Amino acid sequence: KRQELFERISTSLHRMTEMLDDLLLLNRMDAQRMAVKLARVDLPRYLQNLMEEVRLGDRNSHRFELHTAGLASAFDTDPNLLHPILSNLLSNAVRYSPAGTLVTVRLTVESGLVQVAIEDQGIGILEADRARIFEPFERGANVGLIKGSGLGLNIVKRMTELLGGTVAVTAITGGGSRFTLVFPQSPTV
């Protein structure tokens, strides 16, 4: 019983810490205290490492695949901003999908644009919710008892825009969501 209680306390503490981190991050963005510091990133390797990080945190409950098209090795971005963007989207993909399902990341470079699409086989986002899902404290009407603060997608949108990019969500036929990030390959931020 002690071990079970300790695990519950630890999980609650972790969730609270994540929410406080998100609030502090939003506060820094609101105060315009986030400077973009560009660095060269090997994006396929970066994505592979991040997928491994999420997979381990997920205790191998989901499968992950990375598909690449185009020459995507050299990408100038701010890795400190890119990490929470991709981490939020990958974490959401496993949080809102049944165990054993596939999370697919598609990386495409074409016409000076870098596109990263993250697809899951989860509950999806209702069409009525898609217009407001990137607003702070908004969550889909179909999330049920799945934990979340409604801050993650707002952080994704705002950080993506800081990097000169865009984010969009679409439904996948048969269930699930596709979040598509598009960045200029050579940003001018």
Side-chain angles (χ1 to χ4, degrees):
K1 282 190 168 189
R2 278 187 190 171
Q3 182 62 28
E4 183 181 321
L5 184 59
F6 178 72
E7 286 177 18
R8 281 190 199 167
I9 291 170
S10 179
T11 300
S12 295
L13 182 59
H14 180 71
R15 252 195 319 265
M16 183 63 79
T17 302
E18 282 181 342
M19 189 163 59
L20 286 172
D21 286 345
D22 287 348
L23 286 170
L24 290 171
L25 188 58
L26 286 171
N27 188 11
R28 284 194 357 237
M29 282 191 280
D30 287 342
Q32 298 179 348
R33 293 190 334 230
M34 300 220 37
V36 176
K37 297 175 186 167
L38 297 178
R40 183 128 320 197
V41 172
D42 179 343
L43 199 49
R45 182 177 299 169
Y46 188 88
L47 285 166
Q48 198 70 40
N49 290 339
L50 191 53
M51 289 165 51
E52 181 67 11
E53 182 182 307
V54 172
R55 186 186 64 76
L56 289 173
D58 183 46
R59 296 186 177 119
N60 294 319
S61 294
H62 293 81
R63 297 174 290 124
F64 290 84
E65 286 183 0
L66 174 62
H67 301 275
T68 61
L71 299 173
S73 60
F75 176 52
D76 293 324
T77 190
D78 186 332
N80 294 322
L81 296 177
L82 190 61
H83 186 275
I85 293 168
L86 296 170
S87 179
N88 262 306
L89 293 176
L90 287 168
S91 296
N92 282 352
V94 298
R95 179 180 299 143
Y96 296 102
S97 298
T101 58
L102 178 66
V103 175
T104 305
V105 179
R106 299 183 191 284
L107 171 61
T108 308
V109 177
E110 187 177 9
S111 303
L113 296 174
V114 175
Q115 178 177 301
V116 180
I118 298 174
E119 304 170 358
D120 64 52
Q121 298 174 331
I123 63 173
I125 299 172
L126 301 173
E127 187 174 346
D129 293 336
R130 286 187 213 131
R132 63 178 179 76
I133 202 71
F134 291 103
E135 297 301 317
F137 301 106
E138 291 291 339
R139 300 186 71 213
N142 62 337
V143 298
L145 298 176
I146 300 171
K147 304 278 187 211
S149 66
L151 293 174
L153 290 179
N154 183 253
I155 290 170
V156 165
K157 182 178 192 283
R158 292 174 67 178
M159 288 190 156
T160 299
E161 290 171 350
L162 276 174
L163 293 173
T166 60
V167 60
V169 61
T170 53
I172 296 177
T173 305
S177 298
R178 176 184 300 113
F179 284 86
T180 304
L181 303 160
V182 179
F183 299 101
Q185 192 168 11
S186 300
T188 57
V189 289

